[in-house]
């Protein structure tokens, strides 16, 4: 099992030795086949063009702070959903359907990067990418390349989070044990853990309040 | 409880333990398209399945069509969030208005069992006041029936699901057939915060059997209620009404998308429905038709069913179809505790409060809200954190803190408004039919309720010991869109769910509800359908004896 690189100061290493996939022998076969497939070879790219793939890759690395390998293959997982038209079906009246919206907004991202940084989004520096994205998020309901920025932001983050937090490596990082059938839980209640759960070793690492003990 | 098996044997027709009675499905009666069945029902969710079971028991030759599959939970459902996307209705739709409402996930259903397959399991009754909000509070609408008309149907359905919970002190006070479940860390913190603030909170009411019910096993508290209950502990019509219906000669025809309701130009009566099965257009003849496709697809089907008599859509003489569609405002507040909550353990539906349900004359807004435990799994929790504006490193850091958060959700009674409605878009689906366009805009009262609910939830979690609280705005549930009314000028169906325009056409789903209260709608949808079945049987008997 791989551990995603995340510094302890950024919330990493809170559940030492915990492996959700290590519990797979307790899962039902239908669930195990769906979840374990995510640990296999990522699907080939079928939907994005190479340019879109590059932009989506850089975008997803930013949104999920995946700076180095091993990474959850978020871009390939999003591509697979779009290729299979696995969407929620709805679209805003002032925005195209998800597949087209992805193509259109990734192209806009490259246009914007060329204008601001002199290179496509994927070729811009990490810092430039971060600033550019923060600028888009800050627009809120105002339009960005003809679409309300908050709807673009929602599209990107929705797909990125769904892919990332469906992956057992991400579950390991947050202490979530994943599927729970047919075993279920027997120790419920505040601070009540199952034998296979691992306690947080940095319980004071509260992202809202700030790090306890830090200056 | 004594006679529930005599009324509805579903729980005894399932295998002992998890699983499906495959024999019952294999031996299911099958009607031919040109058999004129007594009734064809469109949609096998809360409303359609209840109607089917009641009429099959009474000896009717009944067929229910559903656009989605006839689920086999052991094979088709998984204990996984992203892997459960197929439980939703994901056909194309357009959303609009000043507060567009995303569709297709928690507020949609697909396949036999409908959205109750993935609902949390909360099944509160409506309060008596919900049926008279116009008379009492000058807002919303008055139903053409009263709470008392539904009361014994509520009791019946509560026994059939069955419902577990503490004695319920709100609305019309009542008890539940099963004792309350033990609660998890999340429920415990709600109780702690409620006690500290002097707010009454109760365990339940949830449609999860506490103890064995028929052959259905006890809940294992695995926390994946929203992904379909593989255990058979949480109620959905797939296990609470469909087995009994099949045993009494009903047919369920899955993977059958209904595209139009046919009406005879000469008699003005419906003659059956057009549907597509495996790409082949077919027509099921029927003596009566009941539409139960829920608040988006029911109006869409009516609007797409045009004829010389109904050029603007079936039953749409007074431009009522698709109107007064409601969602509930569902703000979600999370609180951070140094202790480990692990809110994903145990069913999301555990504890609720209806203390703020009714109009408070000291407040500037009408009607109210309820508060319930919710416990988002990682993807849904990430959406909550993202909605706070966090992304990148901050998102990962927040998410690593998941074990420390507890979460409450409110249901705010948004008011019915004529312009919140389904119309047809220019866009077509794969069958070549115009898709639904759903426009939604909040009114001032809606916004005030969201704010009040948020403040109350933040107060509770803070009193429970949370050092920080964060709230996001979201929506839940759909009702209305083909509401019942006293007269044809104000609605689409009467109190018995019979359409004003076509005497042998019924609508038996959530779209007939004129108001929504702050209650999850499933139980009321089932009760209304059960009552419609009774009325049909009584009126049918009367007309036969005449």
């Amino acid at each position: 099992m791989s551990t995603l690189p995340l510094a302890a100061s950024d919330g990493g290493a809170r559940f030492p030795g915990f492996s959700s996939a290590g519990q797979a022998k307790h899962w039902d076969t239908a669930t195990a086949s769906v979840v374990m497939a995510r640990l296999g070879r990522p699907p080939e790219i079928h939907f994005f063009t190479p340019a879109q793939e590059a932009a989506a890759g850089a975008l997803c690395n930013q949104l999920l702070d995946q700076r180095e390998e091993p990474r959850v293959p978020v871009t390939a997982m999003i591509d697979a959903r779009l290729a299979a038209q696995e969407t929620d079906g709805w679209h805003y009246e002032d925005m195209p359907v998800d597949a087209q919206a992805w193509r259109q907004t990734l192209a806009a991202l490259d246009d914007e990067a060329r204008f601001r940084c002199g290179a496509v989004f994927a070729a811009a520096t990490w810092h430039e990418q971060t600033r550019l994205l923060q600028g888009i998020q800050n627009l809120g309901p105002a339009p960005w390349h003809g679409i309300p920025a908050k709807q673009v932001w929602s599209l990107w983050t929705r797909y990125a989070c769904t892919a990332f937090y469906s992956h057992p490596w991400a579950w390991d990082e947050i202490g979530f044990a994943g599927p729970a059938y047919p075993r279920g839980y027997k120790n419920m209640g505040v601070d009540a853990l199952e034998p296979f759960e691992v306690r947080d070793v940095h319980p004071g690492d509260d992202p809202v309040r700030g790090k306890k003990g830090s200056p | 409880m004594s006679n529930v098996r005599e009324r509805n044997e579903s729980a005894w027709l399932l295998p002992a333990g998890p699983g499906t009675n495959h024999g019952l499905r294999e031996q299911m009666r099958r009607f031919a398209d040109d058999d004129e069945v007594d009734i064809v029902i469109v949609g096998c969710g809360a409303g359609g399945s209840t109607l089917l079971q009641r009429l099959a028991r009474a000896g009717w030759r009944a067929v229910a069509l559903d656009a989605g599959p006839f689920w086999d939970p052991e094979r088709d459902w998984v204990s996984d969030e992203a892997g459960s996307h197929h439980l939703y209705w994901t056909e194309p739709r357009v959303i609009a208005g000043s507060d567009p409402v995303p569709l297709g996930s928690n507020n949609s259903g697909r396949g036999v069992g409908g959205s109750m397959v993935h609902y949390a399991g909360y099944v509160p009754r409506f309060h008596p006041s919900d049926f008279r909000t116009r008379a009492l509070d000058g807002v919303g609408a008055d139903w053409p029936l009263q709470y008392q008309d539904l009361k014994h149907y509520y009791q019946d359905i509560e026994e059939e699901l069955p419902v577990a919970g503490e004695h319920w002190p709100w609305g019309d006070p009542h008890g539940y057939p099963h004792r309350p479940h033990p609660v998890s860390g999340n429920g415990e913190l709600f109780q702690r915060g409620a006690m500290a603030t002097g707010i009454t909170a109760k365990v339940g009411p949830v449609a999860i059997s506490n103890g064995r019910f028929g052959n259905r096993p006890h809940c294992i508290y695995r926390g994946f209620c929203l992904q379909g209950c593989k255990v058979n502990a949480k109620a959905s019509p797939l296990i609470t009404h469909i087995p009994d219906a099949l045993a009494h000669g009903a047919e369920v025809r899955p993977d059958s998308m209904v595209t139009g309701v046919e009406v005879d130009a000469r008699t003005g009566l419906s003659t059956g429905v057009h549907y597509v099965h495996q790409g082949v257009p077919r027509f099921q003849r029927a003596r009566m038709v009941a539409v139960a496709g829920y608040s988006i697809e029911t109006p869409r089907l009516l609007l797409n069913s045009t004829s010389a008599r109904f050029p603007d859509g079936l039953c749409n003489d007074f431009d009522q179809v698709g109107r007064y569609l409601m969602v509930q405002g569902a703000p979600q507040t999370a609180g951070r505790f140094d202790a480990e909550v692990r809110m994903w353990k145990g069913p999301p539906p555990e504890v609720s409060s209806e203390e703020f349900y009714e109009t408070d004359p000291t407040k500037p807004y009408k009607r109210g809200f309820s508060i319930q435990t919710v416990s988002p799994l990682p993807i849904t929790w990430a959406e909550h954190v993202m909605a706070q504006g966090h992304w990148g490193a901050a998102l990962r850091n927040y998410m690593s803190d998941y074990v420390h958060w507890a979460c409450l959700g409110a249901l705010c009674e948004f008011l019915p408004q004529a312009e919140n409605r389904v119309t047809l878009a220019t866009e077509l689906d794969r069958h070549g039919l115009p898709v639904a366009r759903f426009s939604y805009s909040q009114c001032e009262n809606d916004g005030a309720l969201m704010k009040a609910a948020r403040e109350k939830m933040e107060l509770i979690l803070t009193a429970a010991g949370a050092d920080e609280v964060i709230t996001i705005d979201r929506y839940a549930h759909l009702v209305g869109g083909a509401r019942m009314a006293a007269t044809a000028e104000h609605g689409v169906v009467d109190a018995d769910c019979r359409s004003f325009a076509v005497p042998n056409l019924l609508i038996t789903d959530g779209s007939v509800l004129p108001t929504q209260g702050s209650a999850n709608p499933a139980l009321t949808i089932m009760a209304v359908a059960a009552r419609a079945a009774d009325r049909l049987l009584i009126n049918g008997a009367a007309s036969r004896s005449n």
Side-chain angles (χ1 to χ4, degrees):
Chain A
M1 293 298 118
S2 247
T3 301
L4 292 173
L6 185 68
S9 57
D10 290 327
R14 298 180 75 160
F15 305 95
F18 176 63
S19 166
S20 50
Q23 299 295 318
K25 60 179 178 292
H26 299 288
W27 303 346
D28 66 286
T29 49
T31 301
S33 67
V34 166
V35 174
M36 295 311 278
R38 296 178 194 140
L39 291 168
R41 215 168 64 81
E44 304 290 337
I45 299 292
H46 291 295
F47 175 81
F48 291 132
T49 64
Q52 290 162 357
E53 181 188 355
L59 170 66
C60 292
N61 285 344
Q62 279 282 339
L63 292 175
L64 295 158
D65 195 39
Q66 293 207 91
R67 297 175 187 238
E68 54 181 308
E69 295 293 336
R71 292 183 175 95
V72 172
V74 171
T75 309
M77 293 164 86
I78 294 174
D79 182 275
R81 275 190 67 183
L82 294 170
Q85 297 184 47
E86 190 194 308
T87 73
D88 283 345
W90 58 270
H91 69 90
Y92 292 104
E93 194 164 41
D94 52 2
M95 191 169 168
V97 297
D98 288 5
Q100 200 197 325
W102 267 100
R103 292 194 196 283
Q104 196 173 314
T105 56
L106 291 172
L109 197 55
D110 275 346
D111 286 347
E112 182 116 356
R114 276 190 213 96
F115 177 71
R116 293 188 187 278
C117 323
V120 292
F121 186 73
T125 66
W126 180 268
H127 182 64
E128 286 171 334
Q129 290 174 349
T130 307
R131 272 185 38 193
L132 200 157
L133 291 178
Q134 191 59 60
I136 296 169
Q137 190 195 25
N138 291 346
L139 284 173
W144 179 76
H145 291 258
I147 303 175
K150 69 172 185 180
Q151 293 176 17
V152 176
W153 193 257
S154 163
L155 175 82
W156 292 343
T157 55
R158 221 164 51 231
Y159 275 78
C161 277
T162 299
F164 188 79
Y165 286 105
S166 72
H167 200 283
W169 296 349
W171 297 343
D172 295 347
E173 187 172 292
I174 64 176
F176 174 68
Y181 177 81
R183 178 167 57 183
Y185 294 112
K186 59 181 183 185
N187 293 332
M188 299 199 302
V190 176
D191 267 335
L193 269 65
E194 312 294 315
F196 59 87
E197 292 182 304
V198 172
R199 191 170 290 280
D200 177 15
V201 294
H202 301 140
D205 183 7
D206 176 353
V208 190
R209 197 168 39 188
K211 317 291 173 189
K212 270 186 189 163
S214 59
Chain B
M1 293 297 297
S2 53
N3 68 348
V4 65
R5 185 175 180 178
E6 289 156 34
R7 290 189 285 111
N8 180 346
E9 202 170 13
S10 290
W12 288 265
L13 291 165
L14 293 165
T20 302
N21 183 339
H22 294 283
L24 194 59
R25 293 191 192 177
E26 281 155 19
Q27 289 151 29
M28 177 174 73
R29 183 173 181 180
R30 286 177 172 80
F31 296 94
D33 281 349
D34 57 6
D35 277 341
E36 190 189 48
V37 295
D38 291 327
I39 192 163
V40 60
I41 300 168
V42 182
C44 281
S49 300
T50 304
L51 182 70
L52 180 73
Q53 185 261 345
R54 295 301 200 257
L55 296 181
R57 276 238 159 200
W60 283 41
R61 292 154 38 92
V63 181
L65 311 183
D66 197 282
F70 204 159
W71 302 113
D72 176 355
E74 281 284 64
R75 185 196 65 187
D76 301 340
W77 299 348
V78 292
S79 205
D80 178 70
E81 219 180 347
S84 300
H85 194 261
H86 56 308
L87 301 183
Y88 304 137
W89 184 278
T90 56
E91 294 288 311
R93 287 155 168 183
V94 180
I95 62 170
S98 66
D99 304 285
V101 175
L103 299 167
S105 58
N106 66 323
N107 59 11
S108 75
R110 173 175 173 265
V112 178
S115 58
M116 283 182 77
V117 162
H118 60 78
Y119 78 144
Y122 279 118
V123 281
R125 295 183 189 179
F126 278 20
H127 288 197
S129 67
D130 288 323
F131 301 82
R132 311 177 58 222
T133 65
R134 173 64 60 185
L136 295 171
D137 295 314
V139 295
D142 294 340
W143 294 44
L145 53 77
Q146 296 303 313
Y147 174 83
Q148 287 301 328
D149 297 315
L150 278 190
K151 180 171 179 166
H152 94 257
Y153 298 99
Y154 276 141
Q155 289 166 333
D156 284 353
I157 300 286
E158 283 165 357
E159 288 182 352
E160 290 166 63
L161 294 177
V163 184
E166 292 186 77
H167 180 83
W168 216 244
W170 297 288
D172 176 29
H174 57 277
Y176 287 110
H178 277 206
R179 292 171 51 76
H181 286 272
V183 300
S184 72
N186 202 34
E188 203 177 312
L189 289 168
F190 183 12
Q191 289 174 321
R192 195 184 294 175
M195 185 168 288
T197 48
I199 292 166
T200 304
K202 294 286 177 185
V203 180
V206 296
I208 303 172
S209 53
N210 190 0
R212 183 166 281 273
F213 178 68
N215 289 332
R216 283 169 52 196
H218 196 288
C219 177
I220 62 167
Y221 305 110
R222 75 187 170 118
F224 284 86
C225 301
L226 275 60
Q227 285 65 39
C229 185
K230 289 179 77 102
V231 181
N232 280 350
K234 187 191 78 176
S236 88
L238 183 72
I239 57 170
T240 62
H241 288 78
I242 294 297
D244 191 68
L246 298 192
H248 287 86
E251 180 187 349
V252 168
R253 206 174 295 165
D255 308 307
S256 299
M257 172 71 188
V258 173
T259 54
V261 178
E262 187 68 31
V263 173
D264 185 287
R266 189 179 55 82
T267 62
L269 296 174
S270 178
T271 54
V273 298
H274 298 275
Y275 68 102
V276 180
H277 178 73
Q278 296 178 338
V280 182
R282 290 166 55 168
F283 182 75
Q284 177 64 54
R285 294 180 61 215
R287 188 171 64 79
M288 291 196 84
V289 174
V291 179
Y294 208 11
S295 289
I296 306 289
E297 292 304 314
T298 286
R300 176 185 175 222
L301 176 61
L302 296 177
L303 294 172
N304 272 327
S305 298
T306 54
S307 60
R309 162 70 184 85
F310 295 104
D312 301 318
L314 195 56
C315 305
N316 201 23
D317 292 338
F318 296 95
D319 192 22
Q320 290 291 308
V321 171
R323 288 194 185 274
Y324 301 103
L325 215 161
M326 291 160 270
V327 301
Q328 277 165 333
Q332 188 171 290
T333 300
R336 205 273 176 188
F337 297 82
D338 278 348
E340 294 199 9
V341 184
R342 297 185 176 252
M343 62 177 162
W344 64 84
K345 291 168 66 173
E350 294 195 304
V351 180
S352 47
S353 174
E354 294 176 5
E355 188 155 326
F356 310 102
Y357 194 108
E358 301 284 342
T359 297
D360 177 348
T362 69
K363 296 286 194 288
Y365 51 80
K366 303 291 185 186
R367 307 304 298 160
F369 54 91
S370 60
I371 298 174
Q372 306 174 330
T373 50
V374 294
S375 26
L377 290 170
I379 293 169
T380 321
W381 177 239
E383 284 169 8
H384 188 122
V385 174
M386 278 271 187
Q388 299 293 309
H390 301 298
W391 60 282
L395 172 77
R396 291 277 289 280
N397 200 351
Y398 256 97
M399 290 301 294
S400 77
D401 207 41
Y402 184 36
V403 300
H404 294 285
W405 291 78
C407 205
L408 300 177
L411 295 177
C412 302
E413 180 178 346
F414 282 8
L415 297 172
Q417 300 181 71
E419 294 309 313
N420 287 341
R421 71 178 305 192
V422 165
T423 53
L424 296 178
T426 49
E427 202 175 315
L428 306 179
D429 71 3
R430 58 190 286 267
H431 300 292
L433 291 172
V435 307
R437 175 188 182 276
F438 174 34
S439 177
Y440 204 88
S441 303
Q442 289 178 28
C443 66
E444 209 173 308
N445 201 75
D446 298 345
L449 283 175
M450 290 287 272
K451 185 164 169 289
R454 170 197 193 125
E455 287 167 3
K456 208 55 87 176
M457 289 192 291
E458 292 181 348
L459 180 75
I460 291 168
L461 285 174
T462 303
D467 47 21
E468 289 294 337
V469 290
I470 54 176
T471 300
I472 61 162
D473 290 343
R474 42 188 293 284
Y475 304 108
H477 307 130
L478 300 168
V479 294
R483 70 178 183 178
M484 60 168 66
T487 63
E489 291 79 8
H490 298 104
V492 181
V493 299
D494 66 14
D496 298 343
C497 296
R498 198 183 282 259
S499 76
F500 289 113
V502 180
N504 67 338
L505 176 70
L506 277 74
I507 300 173
T508 55
D509 62 17
S511 60
V512 304
L513 273 51
T515 64
Q516 59 179 346
S518 313
N520 316 61
L523 182 79
T524 298
I525 295 170
M526 291 183 123
V528 165
R531 182 181 180 276
D534 258 9
R535 302 293 299 168
L536 204 53
L537 295 172
I538 292 164
N539 293 338
S543 65
R544 268 201 296 277
S545 62
N546 288 346

